[in-house]
Amino acid sequence: MEHLAVLGACDLPTFRRVGLQAVRFDIETRRLSVSAHIGVEFAKGSGVLRGGIFAPLLDDVMTGAAILALGPETGARLITQSLDYFASAEPGVFAADAWMMSAGSHHCLMRAELRAPSGEIAALAHGVVARDPDGEGS
């Protein structure tokens, strides 16, 4: 659990906005698992969630996994993200996992998945996290 405490000191806005809760981090697989309650305020009039909330959520989960794997001093920040939507979902508790696929000296390749309350995959993402130890990036 000491690894998860590191995330509390980081500026990951979605963690606060949708109540993301870090569940576990596996240091060997560099995999972060979180749960998030996405409420009706993010839903369309039909009651189905707008997919746009998935992008910042998965951004924070991938960035969080990189921070936990590399350390907060690396200044990890997501610089690209590709997101595929698979299923519409209603508000509720979602599960997200992100893991580092490879790490270079300046960039890391990340993957993430988001599961709807039904257990169905709602979205998959991949992204590149840059290491910015001086905090000079945007």
Side-chain angles (χ1 to χ4, degrees), residues 19-113:
L20 278 176
Q21 297 293 317
V23 175
R24 71 179 172 281
F25 178 70
D26 183 328
I27 192 74
E28 289 182 25
T29 61
R30 301 179 292 194
R31 186 180 193 106
L32 172 63
S33 299
V34 304
S35 67
H37 181 270
I38 302 178
V40 295
E41 65 273 21
F42 296 105
K44 301 176 191 177
S46 64
V48 174
L49 290 172
R50 297 178 186 276
I53 188 59
F54 297 166
L57 188 153
L58 291 171
D59 174 337
D60 276 1
V61 177
M62 287 189 285
T63 302
I67 289 168
L68 292 173
L70 302 171
E73 69 282 352
T74 62
R77 61 189 170 83
L78 192 73
I79 59 172
T80 66
Q81 177 175 301
S82 175
L83 185 60
D84 296 308
Y85 299 98
F86 288 96
S88 59
E90 295 180 355
V93 178
F94 287 70
D97 287 286
W99 59 97
M100 186 180 297
M101 296 179 60
S102 65
S105 58
H106 299 287
H107 299 90
C108 304
L109 181 61
M110 308 296 295
R111 294 277 303 168
E113 66 180 35

